[in-house]
Each structure stands twice: as C-alpha cells, then as structure tokens.
Amino acid sequence: MKLVLLAALLGIASGAVHSPNHISLAGNLCDPSFQIGGKCINLVTGWGWPTAFITDNAAVSVLGSVGTDDSFHLGNLLVNSLFYYGVLSVAVGLGKQIRSR
C-alpha cells in the first residue's frame, strides 16, 4: 500500500515538469493554413512526466501558465502513477534480492 501511495504522490508531483509542443485546437482567428476544421492549431505546454496530464487550453488560457481553465487528463495521471509504481516495485524487488545474498 505504501508503494501505491508513493507512486501516486510521484505521479502528481511530476506535474511540476513541463513539456512543450502539445497540439491544441483553439479559436479561429489565424491564417487558414494553420486551421483544421475551422479551428486554429496551436502548440501548447503540458505538465507531467512521462506523459503530460495538464495541458494549456489554448482557447481560453494564457499560454505557458497553469490555471483552472486548463485541461486535466485523469488517464494520463494514472499512466504516470503506474509508471512510478513499476519503477518503485523493481527497485524494492532488487533491494530485497541484494539483501538476501
């Protein structure tokens, strides 16, 4: 249970890591060559590692900053937590193997 809680905390804490260049659709006030279906294509910042679980909502948010109007992706947060759980499980397993020798 401790590993699950620690992995969840690490997953949430990874929100401090930002990764640029996530594609977002926003508004329609741009050159038509930058539009898909009448919406503008923007490259926005995301937060989280190994996958971003918070991304800028380019239509209403100030680009490059996190706010309440940004997009939160629970599935990506779960992926991050599972990643950290896997890493912690391997580390604990290796530690037990080394101690038993």
Side-chain angles (χ1 to χ4, degrees), residues 3 7 10 49 81-94:
L3 280 182
L10 288 172
W49 194 90
S81 297
L82 285 172
F83 170 80
Y84 289 111
Y85 180 77
V87 170
L88 290 169
S89 295
V90 168
V92 168
L94 287 175

Side-chain angles (χ1 to χ4, degrees), residues 37-52:
K39 298 274 187 184
C40 294
I41 303 168
N42 288 324
L43 294 176
V44 298
T45 304
W47 290 266
W49 194 90
T51 182

